[in-house]
Amino acid sequence: MTDDKSKTGGPDRERINVNEDYELQYWTKALGVSADVVREAVKAVGPTAAAVRQHLGK
């Protein structure tokens, strides 16, 4: 998925792009884990925020 900053609807909010520093920083704060943990979770279960939260028990 392209990270088009002009399109900020629901689908973009529900995905975690670990290749964008600002998104990675947001998710580390939102989930209370390190960037490496977020990357590993995305690698394990995919980029959807719901799947990552479930994987991390959040």
Side-chain angles (χ1 to χ4, degrees):
M1 174 168 79
T2 310
D3 197 18
D4 185 350
K5 292 173 184 61
S6 68
K7 296 180 182 177
T8 58
D12 197 45
R13 287 188 201 125
E14 296 303 317
R15 297 200 172 272
I16 301 172
N17 183 348
V18 296
N19 298 314
E20 291 287 347
D21 288 337
Y22 71 94
E23 281 197 38
L24 195 54
Q25 288 176 353
Y26 169 80
W27 287 107
T28 58
K29 289 179 184 176
L31 298 170
V33 297
S34 71
D36 288 336
V37 171
V38 173
R39 284 187 192 100
E40 287 300 317
V42 168
K43 187 176 180 181
V45 298
T48 61
V52 170
R53 281 191 176 103
Q54 184 177 14
H55 179 75
L56 296 175
K58 303 287 179 177

